[in-house]
Amino acid sequence: MPVVAVVNRKGGSGKSTFAAHVAAWCARQKLSVMLGDVDRQQSSRGWLRRRDPALPGIAPWVVDQKNVLRVPSGITHVVLDTPGGLQGFELARIVMFADAIVVPVCPSVFDRESAAACLDELKTLPRVAKGQCRVATVGMRVDGRTHAAGVLRAWAGEQDVEMIGMLRETQLYVKSLERGLTLFDVAPTQVATDLAQWEPVLQWLRPVLLPVPVVAEVRREPILPVRRASVLGARPLHPGQGLCS
């Protein structure tokens, strides 16, 4: 079960926007995808409630009789929208189950510094260090009239991390998300410039989300359940019980 986590300690970095778009792209590929909202603000879950049932489906967590959040039956792909401030055991817990982590970063110095601290911690975690969990960054809300893209690319070089794309600042994201949509749900002719910006991002994600099948592959245990209280900031569960709580 491929798991992509969207991580940045700083709020307002575009995590929910990015996670919703990755999930919607998966749904458009006819993949059974779940968008798991681990963020206390529940932005992604709120967006899912606005999404038209006629659109390609994206599942949320399901809550079992023990008030535990679980991956619904039949789900093959998971996208996680994580909270700001994620670090320590909670961050390690996400990495334990993720196949790829994308760190959205806006151009300001405050955003870059926060993302750099997050990347430094990620690099210390065994699965990242061994290449078992891929890590990349993506530029968010990039103003093409400025030098923001160049600044972000230079910053990524200093961090020794791949910058897989630059997504521009545009009201198209705001307007589509308000309607429960993403740019992948809009007529391509209306968002051609932005879809072109997504292509290198998707090129990096495709090997993770659409891996070549391996005969008799031994799969590690799929993502574990999460207590419903996790989104309210309770303590993490025992490693054998859940992702975080």
Side-chain angles (χ1 to χ4, degrees):
M1 177 188 297
V3 178
V4 174
V6 186
V7 174
N8 191 325
R9 291 177 180 171
K10 190 175 183 301
S13 61
K15 293 189 297 292
S16 296
T17 295
F18 188 85
H21 277 73
V22 174
W25 181 83
C26 288
R28 288 279 168 188
Q29 311 310 303
K30 303 186 185 305
L31 302 173
S32 297
V33 61
M34 185 198 82
L35 177 56
D37 198 338
V38 191
D39 195 339
R40 296 181 184 88
Q41 295 182 1
Q42 293 286 277
S43 299
S44 293
R45 195 172 186 89
W47 172 76
L48 281 175
R49 287 195 292 267
R50 293 191 292 274
R51 190 167 174 79
D52 189 335
L55 292 169
I58 301 172
W61 296 107
V62 296
V63 182
D64 67 11
Q65 295 178 345
K66 297 181 179 179
N67 203 35
V68 173
L69 296 172
R70 297 185 181 277
V71 177
S73 176
I75 291 298
T76 60
H77 292 68
V78 171
V79 180
L80 292 177
D81 180 12
T82 67
L86 191 68
Q87 57 186 314
F89 183 82
E90 289 86 355
L91 180 62
R93 199 76 178 132
I94 293 290
V95 171
M96 186 180 300
F97 298 105
D99 298 287
I101 287 178
V102 179
V103 180
V105 55
C106 296
S108 82
V109 63
F110 304 110
D111 288 86
R112 299 197 312 271
E113 287 178 350
S114 176
C118 183
L119 289 167
D120 285 344
E121 184 172 1
L122 282 169
K123 292 173 184 177
T124 68
L125 300 176
R127 295 195 69 249
V128 172
K130 295 176 182 178
Q132 296 170 326
C133 177
R134 301 178 67 193
V135 176
T137 59
V138 60
M140 301 293 289
R141 304 189 183 112
V142 178
D143 189 339
R145 300 168 298 180
T146 69
H147 298 295
V151 169
L152 283 173
R153 292 194 187 283
W155 170 84
E158 294 170 359
Q159 304 303 316
D160 192 25
V161 65
E162 189 173 359
M163 178 70 69
I164 58 176
M166 297 285 175
L167 305 181
R168 67 173 180 153
E169 173 74 54
T170 172
Q171 283 295 300
L172 290 172
Y173 284 105
V174 176
K175 292 178 179 178
S176 63
L177 291 169
E178 286 179 348
R179 298 161 52 201
L181 304 172
T182 68
L183 301 192
F184 297 117
D185 301 308
V186 178
T189 54
Q190 298 179 22
V191 292
T193 297
D194 298 284
L195 293 182
Q197 292 184 336
W198 269 93
E199 190 48 44
V201 177
L202 297 174
Q203 183 177 354
W204 188 86
L205 286 171
R206 280 188 184 99
V208 178
L209 295 170
L210 304 172
V212 177
V214 178
V215 177
E217 181 183 7
V218 178
R219 301 292 292 173
R220 57 187 170 83
E221 186 179 358
I223 191 168
L224 295 180
V226 183
R227 292 222 178 268
R228 195 173 191 178
S230 66
V231 296
L232 301 178
R235 294 182 58 193
L237 295 173
H238 184 275
Q241 292 179 283
L243 187 62
C244 64
S245 68

